[in-house]
Structures are given as structure tokens and as C-alpha cells.
Amino acid sequence: MTDQPSNGPDAPRGCPVAHGGGDDFTRLYGPEAASDPHGIYARLRKEHGPVAPVLLEGDIPAWLVLGYRENRRVLDNPRQFSRDARIWRDWKEGRVESTSPLIPMLGWRPDCVSQDGEPHRRLRGAVTDNLQAVTGRGIRRHVTHFANKQIDAFAGTGSADLVAEYAEYLPMLVLTRIYGLPEGEGRRLAESSAQVLKGGEDAVLHNDRIMQILGELTERKRLEPGSDFTTGLLEHHADLDDDEVLSHLRLVLITAHITTSNLLARVLQLVLTDTTRLAGLVSGQLNISAVVEEVMWNTPPLAVLPGRFAAADLELGGHQLQEGDLLVLGLTAGNVDPEVRPDVGISVHGNQSHLAFSGGPHECPGQNIGQAIIETAVDVLLHRLPGLRLAVAPEELTSTASTWEARLDRLPVEFTA
């Protein structure tokens, strides 16, 4: 997992290798990162403190923010830590290719997450206005419809994998209805979104596939408008141009599906590995929102949030950053920072100050939609499948991580057919 790149005079100015990073450099991708991200975060915190030098795919240097307070500082100060990737020095100086798997996650686009200040407010307003409109159009009804449809496919068998047969596709199916897309596009879009997050050589290809589907949708909605999110962006008073509309359709589609599907799987995992929680939910004595809150703290749907860029030379967590440095935000690591959670076993019930939804001006605007999908999906599942129980020992459940997330591999269950 560690390499020893050159730390000599040829190291780029501001690169973590060039100052304060030491010779041992930790990759946030590869076999160790896929199997033990929590171990990596703990080791980096011990060796470097609340901010640590790391390498992303292609051995591109970045600073991983591990501390809770340091994450908050970055999130709350866009003038110091910009979302505008056009100031990213490694990109500007040609060390990141346009075909890099990092580009779908970190590259600049004409969307609200790539901008700050007034441009950000204009674009974000178009997104939030239309998300609020969608929420008011019976989203729980859409979730109920698709949840029942998914369950119908395995309800008679007495067993299922709730990752592959439920959580992995359900949010995207709901999004097809919200967007005005054919339901049949849901599986392809879910698979491509997963590949964009996973990275690797196919990330750019799958990103292009998503853009093609959304481009065709946009053209169709110009001719046949409807009461959907796509039409809402096209007709919004912020007057988004074609590229802005397409970029925001992509942004919401990928982030909403990936985070919600991951969170749904983790909530089901927590419920099914604790019979007390399961009984409480079935009986109505426990509210699902309390379970979601716990998952948000301990296994947030995005483990690492891309990305911020130092807008000037500055200090963070005892390290000197230089203008154009890339930062990635360790949401999982920040949530278990010993400085704010010395005992992670203590209940966090009622405490919503986790980092799972990001924070500051760029805080996730679709939280209510994700919550509605998860609450409804869990409720339908528990009431459709009597005797629902985990089919393996809890310790047999495994996860696979990429740089940005850790996803549950499978969740095998049994129930009365």
C-alpha cells in the first residue's frame, strides 16, 4: 500500500510529497484500500494527525482530511477551500490526463458543486427548487411501487440477497420516474453510476454512457415537457444553458442513487444483525430514522468526499498546504475522530452533527428524498416478508471499498415464502 516516490527538487511545488509528507506515501486505492479502509484511516491519523498526504488513482497526490474539526473548517470556508477544479495545480500542469478515472469525480463541470459564490447560488437554486417540487409529488408512492415490484421477484422463493436484488437498483428505479426516464434505463444507469464511483479504466466510458442517456432525455423533454425533474430544470427561471442542465441531471442522478443505495444496504445490515432493532421496527416501537442516524455516523454512504482545492497557501491540521493543492474529505474518518468521539460505542441518538451529508454551502440538498426512499423501502420490506432474518452469521458479511465509498458485498436473508 505504501510507495516511496521521489521527494527531491523535481517534486511539484505544493505537492504533499514535496513538503511534510515524508517518504512513505499511502494509496487510497488498490487491494489494501479495498479491504481495510478503516485501518488505513487509523494509521494515517496516528502517523500524520488530522490531515495526511495520500495518493489517488494514477498516483495523483492529495491531502486526506481525517479530523472532524478540520473537515468542518474546509466545508464551511469556500473562500479558502474552493470547489473549482480549474485551480487544481496537477490538472493545470498536465499531470492528470482527461481520461483519468479521477476526472468523473474531480473534474470541473458547469454544475453547482464545481462553483462557489453567486454562480453556485444560481445553479443550486434551480436544483433545490426542483427537488422540493419532486418531493411534493408523491415520492413515497413511487418508492412503494418499485419496492413491491422488486420484492415480487423473490417473495416466493424464501431467500434473497438484499443488496443485489433490492438496494442496488431500487433508488435508481425511483429516479427514472422522477426524471421522466423509461423504467428500462434504470439498471443500465445504476451499473454505470457504480462504475463511475468505483473508478478504474472503465469509469470514463460509463460516465459517457450516462451523459448520452441524459442528453437524449433532455432533447425529448424539450419537445414533450412533463411534471418531472428534467422539465423543471429546463424551464427554471435561472435559465440554465444546455450544458448546465445536462451536468445537473448527471450530478443528481449519480449522487442520489449511489448514496441512497449504499445507505439503504447499510441500514438493512444494521437492522438484520440486531434482532432487538428488527423487532422494534416491526412492532413500531423503534423509528427507522434513529437507525439511519446511527448508520450516518458509523458508515456514511460516501466515505471520502471529492474534492476541495486550496485557494491560497495556508495551514491545516499542522500541515502547510499550497495554492492548488487537492483535498479529499474523510467523512467516515471525521465521524469517528477520537477528538469528538472518544468512545464510538456511546449512542449518537438525536445527534445530527455527522458529516455524512457534507456541510456548508455545498451540503447535500436531497437529504429528504434519500430519507423518504430509505424509510419507505425498509417499511415495505419488513411488512412484505414475514420471518425476515439474516441467512449467515453477521461476521460473514463483507464490504469492498473504492477511494470514495465502502459498499456491502451481499446481504443474504431468509423469510417465509
Side-chain angles (χ1 to χ4, degrees):
M1 182 62 189
T2 57
D3 272 354
Q4 296 182 335
S6 168
N7 196 19
D10 293 333
R13 176 182 178 273
C15 167
V17 176
H19 57 90
D23 289 333
D24 289 334
F25 231 54
T26 299
R27 289 191 172 98
L28 279 193
Y29 68 100
E32 185 183 353
S35 60
D36 188 22
H38 289 274
I40 290 174
Y41 304 151
R43 175 166 57 80
L44 287 172
R45 196 192 309 273
K46 182 178 180 181
E47 293 176 356
H48 300 281
V51 178
V54 294
L55 294 173
L56 307 183
E57 282 191 81
D59 282 355
I60 301 301
W63 296 102
L64 174 63
V65 186
L66 299 158
Y68 180 90
R69 294 184 180 89
E70 288 73 19
N71 269 289
R72 284 290 180 197
R73 179 185 164 191
V74 173
L75 291 168
D76 292 338
N77 290 277
R79 290 188 178 182
Q80 290 183 317
F81 304 98
S82 174
R83 280 296 281 116
D84 191 338
R86 291 172 295 189
I87 69 171
W88 181 15
R89 190 179 50 262
D90 285 303
W91 166 256
K92 287 169 62 178
E93 296 179 1
R95 285 183 288 277
V96 182
E97 299 291 336
S98 60
T99 55
S100 165
L102 296 178
I103 292 302
M105 297 301 296
L106 289 165
W108 186 89
R109 286 180 175 80
D111 60 30
C112 59
V113 300
S114 294
Q115 313 204 39
D116 299 303
E118 183 53 39
H120 167 258
R121 284 187 287 273
R122 178 181 76 89
L123 296 171
R124 183 181 171 92
V127 173
T128 55
D129 287 349
N130 283 288
L131 287 178
Q132 289 173 2
V134 164
T135 306
R137 293 183 189 136
I139 189 167
R140 291 179 186 270
R141 177 166 44 84
H142 299 327
V143 181
T144 300
H145 167 76
F146 286 114
N148 277 306
K149 194 168 183 178
Q150 293 284 93
I151 294 168
D152 286 343
F154 58 75
T157 67
S159 65
D161 173 4
L162 293 184
V163 170
E165 297 177 71
Y166 197 60
E168 200 71 16
Y169 295 104
L170 178 57
M172 186 60 81
L173 292 172
V174 176
L175 286 166
T176 61
R177 183 67 57 87
I178 290 171
Y179 270 52
L181 276 161
E183 179 184 331
E185 296 283 21
R187 185 168 291 270
R188 282 207 305 160
L189 285 167
E191 291 169 351
S192 288
S193 296
Q195 287 297 321
V196 169
L197 264 286
K198 184 179 179 181
E201 60 185 15
D202 291 334
V204 174
L205 174 66
H206 282 277
N207 188 73
D208 290 344
R209 175 194 285 181
I210 292 170
M211 295 298 280
Q212 179 183 350
I213 292 172
L214 295 178
E216 293 168 357
L217 169 67
T218 303
E219 290 305 309
R220 187 165 65 251
K221 286 298 173 182
R222 287 190 188 280
L223 299 173
E224 303 171 5
S227 57
D228 50 65
F229 182 73
T230 308
T231 302
L233 285 182
L234 289 167
E235 297 180 350
H236 193 268
H237 60 78
D239 194 24
L240 276 60
D241 64 29
D242 291 352
D243 289 340
E244 290 171 341
V245 169
L246 195 54
S247 289
H248 285 95
L249 289 173
R250 171 197 177 274
L251 169 68
V252 174
L253 186 90
I254 293 176
T255 55
H257 169 68
I258 288 296
T259 56
T260 307
S261 63
N262 197 354
L263 185 57
L264 175 57
R266 293 297 186 179
V267 167
L268 290 170
Q269 176 189 15
L270 185 56
V271 168
L272 290 165
T273 52
D274 185 337
T275 54
T276 303
R277 283 193 183 89
L278 179 58
L281 288 175
V282 172
S283 66
Q285 293 177 308
L286 178 64
N287 192 314
I288 186 62
S289 62
V291 181
V292 175
E293 198 170 80
E294 187 173 347
V295 173
M296 289 290 197
W297 274 102
N298 296 326
T299 50
L302 277 183
V304 176
L305 178 70
R308 299 293 191 274
F309 306 92
D313 296 356
L314 48 82
E315 181 274 338
L316 181 69
H319 294 270
Q320 292 299 318
L321 279 61
Q322 303 210 8
E323 182 178 346
D325 277 1
L326 165 64
L327 300 91
V328 291
L329 306 183
L331 305 185
T332 296
N335 276 349
V336 296
D337 182 353
E339 292 291 320
V340 296
R341 285 184 76 193
D343 184 354
V344 294
I346 294 177
S347 173
V348 292
H349 181 62
N351 185 342
Q352 298 182 359
S353 58
H354 55 74
L355 298 169
F357 289 131
S358 179
H362 291 278
E363 184 173 353
C364 173
Q367 300 172 32
N368 293 339
I369 291 179
Q371 189 89 5
I373 291 174
I374 289 163
E375 290 179 0
T376 309
V378 173
D379 185 62
V380 171
L381 187 77
L382 294 183
H383 288 90
R384 280 289 308 271
L385 303 178
L388 182 65
R389 60 197 178 275
L390 196 60
V392 298
E395 56 270 19
E396 292 183 40
L397 299 176
T398 59
S399 301
T400 301
S402 67
T403 299
W404 314 112
E405 61 170 359
R407 297 188 78 84
L408 191 63
D409 293 322
R410 52 195 289 270
L411 189 62
V413 294
E414 297 172 342
F415 48 87
T416 304

